[in-house]
Amino acid sequence: MTRTLTTLALAIACSAAQAFSFSDLTFWTGTGANRAALVIDWNDGAEPKSLAWGFRWDGVATGEDMFRAVVTSDPLLFSKALSFSFGIAVNGIGYDTDGDGLPLSDGTAWPPNGLLFPGSPSDGATALDAGDRYVEGWNTGFWGYWLASGSTLGTWSEAQVGLSGRQLVDGSWDGLSFAQGFVGSAPDDPVAAPEPATLLALLAVPVLLRRRRRR
Ligand SMILES: [Ca+2]
């Protein structure tokens, strides 16, 4: 298993492209004629710096719709989010890189779909597995929200709305980039999050069973 995961990590690292485009995405969720992508940059010093997922939809969809769809469909992706009258805000995002669950230092009990609404914000929890990634912040930092356009990833600019207020545009990019100490930076160029079929081949049983056990 260790060697398999190392191979997977190498495959992820080597798939980084100079000009990342929609055709580079391998993990897609949702159905419809429109396409957008979600890029998550932990700014945690680990590689790959950021990962990207694709989202398809018809009609009207928001950044929140894409975020919820991606988090709840990728078994390796987890998030703590908060719900307000104006919509949701991201508190923490984690990635179970080694596919055996995402235990945190604060004992968080993740729900089956990986998207937790804890009710109050938290700071400072860390991933217990050495290879996993998790960053959260509310008073110590925050998940900045960025937007870009173009079938090839263009220049990022800070969103002027939250995830719930953002209406997705066909062929656009949403970025979440953690701002430690409230010092924001645009998402670094991503690599494609591994597609479900790859995950199933490499990790399927352990990941799916573990998620089921952890509820
Ligand atoms: Ca793990």
Side-chain angles (χ1 to χ4, degrees), residues 96-103 129 132:
D96 175 22
T97 306
D98 57 3
D100 66 351
L102 184 75
D129 287 353
D132 289 350

Side-chain angles (χ1 to χ4, degrees), residues 18 48 63 77 110 124 130 145-146 164 172 183 193:
Q18 286 293 323
L77 190 62
W110 294 108
Y145 188 34
W146 298 75
S164 309
S172 66
V183 179

